[in-house]
Amino acid sequence: MSVAAARVSLTHSRSLSAALCRPLTRRPLTRRPSTVTSAAMAQKSVSSYLPSDTYNSLPKDGDLTFLHTMLRVNDLDATMDFFKALGLQETRRKESESGKFTLVFMASAPGAPEIELTYNWGGEDFAPPSRSMGHLAYATDDIYALCESLQAKGIVINRPPRDGKMAFVKSPDGISVELLQKGEPLEAKEPWASMENIGSW
């Protein structure tokens, strides 16, 4: 090997050795925009722990898992509008021609526990709910904003959030729904602080 070739080989070896000894630097990853699916939405909600088929694919973990509460309704559209105003969405439904009924499931997010609205075609009259049936309860980010939105939709605030923490409303069939402020109570403010109760809940 000539002296010149030896020098080139030595220089190349030193460059390679220096490159291998340098700490690796990672380039920031460029994330591609992705389509948000209902499953992804479910993962973002603290309420969501059920699979899309509710109980069919639940793992057997030894626990009893809460799924839904069934409510019989006289006016399906009016009741759905009420719960949509609260922030629930329809997750699935079943129509039975032979049984002449409709089941509509609604939840605050995909994968969250549901309410099952059972509507027997033609409607039916109900006695006042027994006191043994207390209420449903939902927590909200801003109880004042939610109550203001409900009022604007014509829903009576039976127990206003005077304390910035708790309110009650009732469904078209008289089912009480408790609304609770997430975290610490909000500072008391008008018109809620001096608003009187309306009816019972």
Side-chain angles (χ1 to χ4, degrees):
M1 178 184 295
S2 67
V3 174
R7 287 176 177 173
V8 170
S9 177
L10 179 61
T11 301
H12 177 73
S13 297
R14 286 174 177 172
S15 298
L16 179 60
S17 177
L20 292 174
C21 291
R22 281 199 302 268
L24 294 175
T25 57
R26 296 182 178 179
R27 296 180 181 177
L29 295 175
T30 302
R31 297 186 180 276
R32 296 180 180 178
S34 60
T35 302
V36 179
T37 63
S38 59
M41 290 285 288
Q43 294 302 318
K44 294 182 180 180
S45 173
V46 296
S47 303
S48 301
Y49 58 80
L50 297 172
S52 59
D53 62 359
T54 65
Y55 60 90
N56 289 305
S57 60
L58 274 176
K60 296 180 180 179
D61 58 1
D63 291 339
L64 193 67
T65 303
F66 182 76
L67 299 175
H68 65 256
T69 296
M70 188 274 269
L71 303 174
R72 290 186 176 87
V73 304
N74 183 51
D75 186 327
L76 182 59
D77 290 336
T79 303
M80 289 185 67
D81 287 343
F82 170 80
F83 283 107
K84 284 178 182 177
L86 288 178
L88 274 62
Q89 58 185 281
E90 180 178 336
T91 54
R92 55 200 174 97
R93 73 165 58 202
K94 176 184 177 181
E95 306 274 356
S96 174
E97 290 285 347
S98 58
K100 298 188 183 305
F101 66 83
T102 300
L103 305 180
V104 175
F105 293 81
M106 301 184 74
S108 57
E114 300 166 317
I115 56 170
E116 175 189 352
L117 305 180
T118 298
Y119 173 66
N120 292 309
W121 297 354
E124 54 187 313
D125 294 325
F126 305 117
S130 167
R131 284 185 57 80
S132 64
M133 169 59 192
H135 58 262
L136 306 176
Y138 294 95
T140 180
D141 289 350
D142 188 332
I143 197 167
Y144 292 148
L146 178 55
C147 286
E148 184 177 353
S149 173
L150 293 174
Q151 270 195 329
K153 294 178 173 67
I155 296 172
V156 174
I157 310 300
N158 299 97
R159 196 283 192 187
R162 290 183 293 270
D163 51 5
K165 183 68 177 178
M166 179 178 66
F168 273 89
V169 293
K170 295 175 81 170
S171 77
D173 292 303
I175 301 298
S176 290
V177 179
E178 182 181 22
L179 306 174
L180 294 168
Q181 172 63 41
K182 293 179 181 177
E184 295 298 318
L186 301 182
E187 184 177 348
K189 72 174 186 178
E190 298 297 344
W192 312 110
S194 59
M195 190 176 293
E196 297 292 330
N197 295 337
I198 300 176
S200 63
W201 58 90

